[in-house]
Amino acid sequence: MAKLTIDGKEIEVPDGTSLFDACREARGEPLPHFCYHPDLSIAGVCRLCQVEVEGMPKLTIACNTGVRDGMVVSTRNERVTQAAQQILEMHLINHPVDCPICDQAGECGLQNQYMKYGLYDSEVEIADKVNKAKAQVIGPHVILDKERCVLCSRCVRFCDEVTGTSEMGIFNRGNRAEIGTAPGVELDNNYSLNTVDICPVGALTSRDFRFQKRVWMLKAANSICPGCATGCNVRLDHEAGRLYRIKPRYNPDVNGRWMCDRGRMLYKAVHDENRLLDPARGGQTLRWAELDTDLLAGDGGLFVTSAHQSLEEMFLLKKLAAGGTVCGGLAGSDTGDSDELLLNADHTPNRQGLGLLDLPEMNGAALAEAISGTTGPVVVHGGNPAGEDVVAAALRGHGRTVYIGSHDNETAQACNLVLPGAVWAEKAGIFANRDGRLQAFSQSVARAGSSREDWRILAELAGGEVPGSLRAVREELAEALDLTEVNLNKLPARGLAPVGATSGGED
Amino acid sequence: MSFEGLPAKATGKKMTFLESIYLVEIVRGLGVTISHLVKNIFATEAMPTMQYPEEKRVYSDRFRGRHHLMQREDGTPRCVACQMCSTYCPADCITIEGAEHPDPSIEKYPASFEIDLLRCVFCGLCEEACPCDAIRLDTGIYEIAADDRAKFVVDKEFLLHNKSDGTR
Amino acid sequence: MPIVLESLAKIVFMFLLILGMVPVLIWAERKGAAFIQDRTGPNRAAIGGVRLAGLVHPIADVLKLVFKEDVQPDARHKAMYNMAPWAAMTIAVSSYAVIPFGDFITIAGRKIPLVVADLQVGALYVLAVASLGTYGVVMGGWAANNKFTFLGGIRATAQMISYEISMGLALMGLMLVFASLRITDIVAGQGDLIFGFLPKWGVVVQPLGFVLFITAVFAETNRNPFDLPEGESEIVAGFHLEYSSLKFALFFMAEYCHMVVGAALISAFYFGGYQIPWLPRPVLEAHAGGLLTGKLIAIIIVSGIFAVLFLRRAQKERNKFGDARDREPRIGAGLWLMVAAGAAGALLLKPWHIGPQGAEMVASIAQIFAFVGKVVFFAWLFIWVRWTLPRFRYDQLMHLGWKVMLPLGLANLVVTAVVMALV
Ligand code: SF4
Ligand code: SF4
Ligand code: SF4
Ligand code: SF4
Ligand code: FES
């Protein structure tokens, strides 16, 4: 342990901590910085984080200095603040300051630092600024404005250290130093949008989000990415009932600070034209009030859920099934690409949940057989089992089929009664990720059309046998899962780890 | 703050008996009002009222009238859809959608720009917020009437060709 | 049978008088308010360019109100809601039945008293009907099922209860003086002179009673400074908040009818009704010819002056508007000239030589005019006061009613009684 004094405050930190982190702890806020990033190596190029260490003649950068016992550091005296201001002024010499058309404005490091540490009057002639390329498309997701770059090299280090793809580099020297992709290379990896996140300025911006919305207008809701079994923690940025982008949320036990590009694009499905908006029977649109559940009459039947549904919904479907057969959906559906970093080959968010609730998956042939074999109703909840022709045929052959889902697909086409459910951003629920970690997501936008939360639909179909609120459903679910110690209505921020799992990383 | 000529605080002056029975004061008040009435009957012309549609007051050049969007030399909007104005607008009545401009040196332009004149309070903050001097309230137009709410939501085309320095 | 016809004729006359005065009062209210506040007031509505200084506006208003949508609250009490404006209107005009608007008139040899119903207890009838006046307001306020209208109704009731007592007490003093409850007696009694020069008007013999009465009448008619039932700064529009279209118009008219009735009561009780001071009926009849001539000459002079004023305006404002309105001053000048010419023509008939029958007629008409003149003045007083005084606060209203006017009324009654007993 090292004891040091920062701004007159004594703190104790483990040996090997960087002075930057020690200062953050002592000050309650980080030092001004561009290049430092907790998940990347130290570059020490932006020179913003300079502090005064007693005994050292010159100011020193905190990010590249280790703590030493007895160090006396000041971070707020005039010398330090003046240095920060001057460095900032230097960063801005060739900066275009085109904030009005810059998508980063509102969450920009330069803007924030300037308001906090700058506030000088610029002496630079606009005509004297060095011009560089603007609005260069450098990959499927990312667009680059070289003028805005402060050469912090975060993006370069990310591509070197995290993805190992090394597309980015800094070229030339001095005034003409500029960021860019290696010749003939595109910034095309499944994690490229993370460079947009870590770029402290508007040099790297998202092509998808470009000019869609000014960021200060967005509201955020915490959620879980439904794209694969990893279950990255995400933030949904939305406004006026529309999702605009998905950003990763820090969870050291799951995704750290990253998420993949594929996951970020999933918000598009929410506003898809293909959404089911109204209940329909035999292709005839109904109102909820006109709904007749005669199809569900009779004992037995087959109840098929899917790994896309939340734990609560699976649980309710199981209850609804009562005497009938329950099935976890099509075995091996929705699998695909994977990588070492985050993306899992299982592209469903809750396949572990099926296991928890003991809902066996079937392959297409078995499922088709089960459908044809039952005399009771067939209820399919989510997923698209009819993607397999045998199942589609079986569904068409059966007279009493119900599909609860959010999008129009083969299964919706094949079923008699179609009930529009909500997508994940429109409802709350719990997913179990690949490790069986239970993570809750909450509603961010209003439901499309007259669609309803799935658990409500299931509760209605079950006819009063089920609790009237999600809270109560979760309480029953906890009992069924034997999780009596746990409050499923209030899961920990990092999710509920399965017994025996280890946890790491700082908060 | 103080108002010239007014006592700094209420004096709490006691009313005299005559004042306290009101009657005399009421009669005096009636005298004041009738004197105005009589005076005005015989000097109708001297009243300050303006006969509005026929006579119009001349306003200062700084009067904030209906907005107009400034044009570039080629007639396209000077606005870059930064939405500073709609952010600053206290009435939340500006709706802008940005889009990629074909000219890379301009980058961003407003694909749509709408102002709901019914909600606008003509504070001029949009004008003040604009970094490009793209929106101004200098048309001097204050006669804004329509027979349908929808007509008060004016679009980019309207705002671009909206008097003051030309066109329509 | 003739008596029925007579009464009908009198009722129709009264009705026309009151309803005819409503638009004029509305006009006077607007124009008067405007001039008092240094504004020009309504001057836009026109028929063929003629605006009559805003007198066309009431017509335009009526048309507008008739054609407006009648918006009604869902949760209203249907019957009461629909009845309330009518109740307000009916009650407002019904106290007029007992007020004499002239002494008598002789038509076809029949001497007809100029009052619809000469009740023994006319003064009591007036009090009774005045109390009924709140019903329209309360019914409207309650039936509309809105908090504000309800508050307005409650305020009207409380105000009524507080002020009708003072009203009654003030009237009791008057009744003692004239020893009658019959209004015709009271008015006839005011034709006398005291000490040979002072008309024995109610206001002279009962000055305090007059002040109390006029205050109470203002309160009963819900006019400023006692218009708390409407109190738009606190309860939006009070009792008539939920009324629109014709029903609102009725409430509006009822208010003005109330004013006319209030003015008529004040003039009948305290200002000698139809009596012309120093000119009792016999004198009037004796000098009828001279009076008529004088009147005609006065008309010629006054309309002449008006005609000249209009001509001047016509000259000064030539083509001021550039439309039909430019004709207005010339039309006005022409009309006044016609009036002057008519009066001059009437002079040719030698009015100073009218016979006794004609003299009687002239006297009756002169008295009716005297009464109408007084009513118009007091109706104007209502308007005048409204644009002079601010509204009372509710506690001030109650304070004035119970702690000032009630004791004063009692004192007035006692003193009057003692004086009457001694004299
Ligand atoms: S990077 Fe920041 S400072 Fe530069 S233009 Fe964008 S928002 Fe403005
Ligand atoms: S593009 Fe952004 S992250 Fe990369 S070096 Fe420039 S400022 Fe840093
Ligand atoms: S004038 Fe004020 S209220 Fe109107 S659009 Fe501009 S900022 Fe908004
Ligand atoms: S502030 Fe100016 S440039 Fe920005 S959106 Fe508004 S009008 Fe356009
Ligand atoms: S953060 Fe330390 S030099 Fe950039």
Side-chain angles (χ1 to χ4, degrees):
Chain A
M1 292 302 255
K3 250 195 192 155
L4 60 167
T5 315
I6 297 173
D7 291 341
K9 192 171 161 192
E10 286 211 357
I11 64 158
E12 207 170 337
V13 292
D15 289 321
T17 314
S18 80
L19 186 52
F20 190 96
D21 290 334
C23 288
R24 177 186 351 233
E25 203 178 321
R27 289 156 50 99
E29 58 168 357
L31 295 164
H33 67 285
F34 284 144
C35 68
Y36 175 83
H37 191 279
D39 286 353
L40 300 176
S41 63
I42 301 295
V45 291
C46 76
R47 315 310 285 182
L48 260 178
C49 62
Q50 300 190 71
V51 293
E52 190 180 68
V53 179
E54 220 162 76
M56 292 200 190
K58 289 209 246 174
L59 298 183
T60 177
I61 54 171
C63 61
N64 206 14
T65 310
V67 293
R68 197 167 14 85
D69 208 27
M71 242 183 185
V72 180
V73 183
S74 34
T75 69
R76 294 187 202 267
N77 68 22
E78 201 180 324
R79 203 167 152 220
V80 174
T81 47
Q82 208 179 8
Q85 198 194 54
Q86 283 162 357
I87 300 282
L88 209 55
E89 191 170 0
M90 230 186 59
H91 277 302
L92 276 158
I93 284 176
N94 286 326
H95 194 88
V97 206
D98 50 358
C99 313
I101 53 165
C102 177
D103 269 336
Q104 188 81 0
E107 50 187 16
C108 170
L110 259 180
Q111 286 183 333
N112 294 344
Q113 319 277 23
Y114 179 82
M115 295 316 283
K116 236 172 165 170
Y117 308 102
L119 290 178
Y120 57 87
D121 290 323
S122 173
E123 287 163 32
V124 186
E125 285 287 329
I126 291 179
D128 294 345
K129 293 204 179 201
V130 175
N131 291 324
K132 294 173 195 162
K134 290 183 80 71
Q136 275 196 323
V137 173
I138 56 165
H141 292 299
V142 183
I143 188 164
L144 167 68
D145 185 313
K146 293 188 177 176
E147 283 188 341
R148 293 184 192 142
C149 172
V150 292
L151 298 169
C152 69
S153 81
R154 273 182 179 186
C155 55
V156 181
R157 281 173 285 149
F158 178 85
C159 293
D160 287 350
E161 295 161 17
V162 180
T163 59
T165 43
S166 301
E167 295 101 336
M168 306 287 298
I170 294 178
F171 305 91
N172 298 337
R173 294 290 158 96
N175 249 352
R176 285 163 292 127
E178 60 177 38
I179 190 77
T181 46
V185 175
E186 278 206 330
L187 178 55
D188 182 12
N189 62 57
N190 193 24
Y191 295 87
S192 63
L193 278 170
N194 290 306
T195 61
V196 172
D197 288 347
I198 58 173
C199 178
V201 295
L204 297 173
T205 48
S206 158
R207 288 177 68 188
D208 180 57
F209 181 65
R210 186 163 166 87
F211 301 159
Q212 293 305 302
K213 206 83 204 162
R214 302 319 308 256
V215 293
W216 56 84
M217 295 177 179
L218 296 171
K219 293 178 247 333
N222 287 350
S223 191
I224 302 296
C225 177
C228 77
T230 308
C232 292
N233 289 208
V234 297
R235 190 184 86 197
L236 306 182
D237 283 352
H238 60 98
E239 206 249 347
R242 251 199 116 69
L243 289 177
Y244 283 91
R245 62 179 185 184
I246 301 181
K247 289 247 173 193
R249 190 156 51 90
Y250 177 57
N251 186 342
D253 294 343
V254 181
N255 57 317
R257 290 182 168 84
W258 320 124
M259 74 178 288
C260 74
D261 294 353
R262 183 179 165 273
R264 293 191 201 241
M265 296 302 140
L266 289 176
Y267 76 90
K268 295 190 172 174
V270 175
H271 306 299
D272 199 310
E273 279 181 7
N274 209 16
R275 283 292 300 275
L276 294 170
L277 299 177
D278 294 297
R281 183 160 184 177
Q284 209 73 36
T285 305
L286 299 173
R287 280 186 291 122
W288 282 100
E290 297 164 353
L291 201 62
D292 189 350
T293 49
D294 59 338
L295 277 181
L296 287 171
D299 286 337
L302 179 66
F303 295 80
V304 188
T305 185
S306 87
H308 292 282
Q309 306 314 123
S310 74
L311 268 182
E312 295 92 329
E313 289 157 8
M314 294 173 175
F315 173 67
L316 281 179
L317 190 79
K318 206 171 157 187
K319 278 196 89 158
L320 177 64
T325 323
V326 278
C327 157
L330 219 48
S333 64
D334 297 302
T335 47
D337 301 347
S338 70
D339 58 38
E340 269 97 76
L341 204 51
L342 291 171
L343 185 61
N344 195 283
D346 175 5
H347 287 186
T348 68
N350 203 14
R351 196 153 254 141
Q352 292 295 319
L354 294 174
L356 283 177
L357 284 165
D358 206 10
L359 299 164
E361 288 180 291
M362 300 182 183
N363 62 28
L367 187 56
E369 204 170 303
I371 292 170
S372 319
T374 180
T375 52
V378 177
V379 176
V380 183
H381 182 201
N384 185 20
E388 295 227 0
D389 293 341
V390 265
V391 181
L395 279 173
R396 281 184 210 281
H398 195 281
R400 293 160 60 196
T401 47
V402 182
Y403 179 61
I404 307 169
S406 54
H407 288 75
D408 198 7
N409 54 22
E410 288 93 337
T411 318
Q413 300 288 343
C415 288
N416 303 97
L417 180 63
V418 177
L419 302 176
V423 294
W424 105 108
E426 299 170 344
K427 62 189 178 187
I430 296 171
F431 287 147
N433 83 344
R434 60 184 174 201
D435 311 322
R437 177 183 295 269
L438 301 187
Q439 304 193 102
F441 56 94
S442 55
Q443 184 185 351
S444 61
V445 290
R447 279 179 288 285
S450 64
S451 61
R452 288 187 174 180
E453 287 156 303
D454 302 42
W455 74 265
R456 266 185 212 284
I457 300 175
L458 293 169
E460 184 149 315
L461 294 184
E465 306 252 309
V466 277
S469 73
L470 193 60
R471 173 166 284 271
V473 175
R474 284 179 177 169
E475 270 155 24
E476 277 193 22
L477 173 65
E479 227 161 89
L481 289 180
D482 235 357
L483 288 169
T484 39
E485 319 287 77
V486 188
N487 183 357
L488 285 186
N489 284 303
K490 231 179 158 215
L491 287 174
R494 290 188 189 181
L496 183 71
V499 187
T502 51
S503 160
E506 86 273 23
D507 265 314
Chain B
M1 190 165 71
S2 79
F3 295 94
E4 226 171 290
L6 283 184
K9 57 177 183 189
T11 51
K13 189 174 81 119
K14 270 255 175 278
M15 281 191 281
T16 64
F17 175 71
L18 266 189
E19 282 170 351
S20 72
I21 60 170
Y22 290 131
L23 287 179
V24 184
E25 296 297 313
I26 287 176
V27 172
R28 272 185 32 177
L30 289 173
V32 171
T33 46
I34 202 80
S35 71
H36 275 260
L37 179 104
V38 172
K39 196 181 80 211
N40 286 327
I41 284 179
F42 288 104
T44 322
E45 297 301 307
M47 276 194 273
T49 312
M50 273 194 155
Q51 295 305 320
Y52 160 62
E54 291 91 18
E55 303 172 334
K56 281 183 187 163
R57 199 176 290 286
V58 180
Y59 287 105
S60 134
D61 287 344
R62 300 170 58 188
F63 175 82
R64 295 192 292 270
R66 195 166 63 194
H67 325 55
H68 94 279
L69 280 180
M70 303 289 289
Q71 301 177 355
R72 291 175 198 270
E73 258 146 42
D74 62 355
T76 56
R78 205 186 260 182
C79 167
V80 296
C82 67
Q83 306 183 21
M84 290 297 137
C85 49
S86 56
T87 302
Y88 206 12
C89 174
D92 200 5
C93 64
I94 311 183
T95 317
I96 303 167
E97 267 169 42
E100 189 86 47
H101 197 280
D103 178 354
S105 70
I106 296 177
E107 265 194 81
K108 195 178 179 186
Y109 83 106
S112 87
F113 192 114
E114 282 178 358
I115 299 184
D116 185 344
L117 293 173
L118 275 187
R119 290 181 73 173
C120 172
V121 296
F122 294 93
C123 58
L125 291 180
C126 47
E127 184 175 42
E128 209 162 293
C130 182
C132 309
D133 189 18
I135 189 169
R136 288 192 192 165
L137 276 72
D138 64 355
T139 56
I141 297 172
Y142 51 84
E143 286 159 320
I144 302 165
D147 51 10
D148 186 355
R149 273 163 198 276
K151 292 185 188 161
F152 286 95
V153 182
V154 292
D155 61 3
K156 186 173 77 174
E157 272 314 298
F158 179 93
L159 289 165
L160 273 174
H161 311 290
N162 186 20
K163 282 287 175 56
S164 167
D165 105 294
T167 49
R168 247 175 276 175
Chain C
M1 198 58 213
I3 194 114
V4 176
L5 280 181
E6 268 171 33
S7 304
L8 268 181
K10 286 187 278 191
I11 291 175
V12 168
F13 173 78
M14 301 291 318
F15 232 85
L16 288 183
L17 181 71
I18 302 178
L19 292 187
M21 266 179 83
V22 166
V24 178
L25 283 178
I26 293 176
W27 169 77
E29 174 112 52
R30 288 183 171 168
K31 214 67 184 172
F35 276 45
I36 283 173
Q37 297 170 343
D38 295 346
R39 296 183 281 115
T40 50
N43 61 355
R44 287 281 153 183
I47 301 175
V50 177
R51 299 168 296 169
L52 287 178
L55 253 176
V56 183
H57 272 263
I59 302 174
D61 276 344
V62 170
L63 280 179
K64 180 193 80 176
L65 283 170
V66 167
F67 288 110
K68 265 191 136 170
E69 185 190 354
D70 191 4
V71 183
Q72 304 187 347
D74 263 350
R76 68 193 186 280
H77 185 294
K78 272 213 183 75
M80 292 250 199
Y81 179 84
N82 291 327
M83 243 155 68
W86 293 103
M89 189 68 194
T90 317
I91 295 164
V93 287
S94 53
S95 27
Y96 223 110
V98 295
I99 302 172
F101 51 94
D103 198 354
F104 60 84
I105 194 166
T106 316
I107 292 176
R110 284 183 57 93
K111 202 170 163 190
I112 307 168
L114 288 180
V115 53
V116 176
D118 192 9
L119 289 190
Q120 294 272 1
V121 287
L124 276 189
Y125 173 84
V126 166
L127 285 178
V129 172
S131 319
L132 277 179
T134 22
Y135 277 84
V137 173
V138 173
M139 270 163 66
W142 179 79
N145 203 352
N146 171 317
K147 291 187 188 73
F148 290 127
T149 61
F150 186 53
L151 281 176
I154 288 181
R155 284 182 175 197
T157 327
Q159 194 168 314
M160 182 62 62
I161 291 172
S162 320
Y163 281 77
E164 70 184 351
I165 298 176
S166 319
M167 193 176 183
L169 287 173
L171 277 188
M172 271 155 91
L174 203 70
M175 291 164 198
L176 283 177
V177 175
F178 293 105
S180 176
L181 285 177
R182 189 197 284 264
I183 300 183
T184 43
D185 286 352
I186 295 179
V187 177
Q190 297 183 58
D192 304 342
L193 296 178
I194 334 178
F195 313 129
F197 68 94
L198 204 56
K200 198 184 171 187
W201 280 4
V203 65
V204 177
V205 289
Q206 284 279 301
L208 182 57
F210 163 68
V211 172
L212 295 179
F213 185 77
I214 197 171
T215 315
V217 167
F218 269 81
E220 307 262 291
T221 50
N222 294 331
R223 287 282 298 188
N224 195 292
F226 300 104
D227 59 347
L228 285 100
E230 292 178 35
E232 53 279 89
S233 52
E234 302 122 36
I235 50 174
V236 196
F239 63 93
H240 61 59
L241 171 60
E242 294 284 14
Y243 283 92
S244 48
S245 179
L246 258 188
K247 297 206 184 71
F248 169 75
L250 276 178
F251 267 124
F252 198 64
M253 272 161 66
E255 178 179 335
Y256 284 90
C257 292
H258 248 123
M259 264 166 66
V260 179
V261 171
L265 286 176
I266 295 170
S267 14
F269 282 133
Y270 289 94
F271 284 86
Y274 52 78
Q275 306 280 9
I276 307 174
W278 304 292
L279 284 179
R281 181 93 189 187
V283 183
L284 261 185
E285 283 181 22
H287 300 284
L291 269 177
L292 195 57
T293 316
K295 218 174 195 166
L296 284 174
I297 294 174
I299 290 177
I300 294 174
I301 297 176
V302 170
S303 41
I305 294 178
F306 273 121
V308 171
L309 283 177
F310 267 99
L311 278 176
R312 256 184 46 197
R313 232 186 86 194
Q315 234 168 23
K316 227 171 44 192
E317 300 182 357
R318 176 163 303 161
N319 293 332
K320 177 178 171 192
F321 298 106
D323 57 26
R325 279 174 283 173
D326 286 333
R327 290 204 308 262
E328 215 177 39
R330 270 176 286 143
I331 293 175
L335 281 177
W336 283 116
L337 276 178
M338 262 158 71
V339 172
L347 271 184
L348 292 181
L349 299 176
K350 302 205 176 124
W352 50 89
H353 274 144
I354 48 171
Q357 259 192 1
E360 207 175 51
M361 200 60 152
V362 169
S364 297
I365 292 177
Q367 287 190 326
I368 294 179
F369 267 99
F371 178 71
V372 173
K374 290 174 188 176
V375 171
V376 168
F377 173 77
F378 285 106
W380 162 249
L381 184 71
F382 274 95
I383 295 171
W384 189 3
V385 164
R386 172 165 177 197
W387 299 104
T388 304
L389 298 185
R391 182 183 298 139
F392 273 99
R393 220 168 49 215
Y394 203 74
D395 61 320
Q396 292 169 328
L397 179 88
M398 286 294 142
H399 175 88
L400 182 69
W402 292 105
K403 294 209 198 145
V404 179
M405 289 185 41
L406 184 59
L408 280 180
L410 284 171
N412 184 46
L413 183 60
V414 170
V415 172
T416 312
V418 170
V419 171
M420 289 311 285
L422 292 180
V423 173

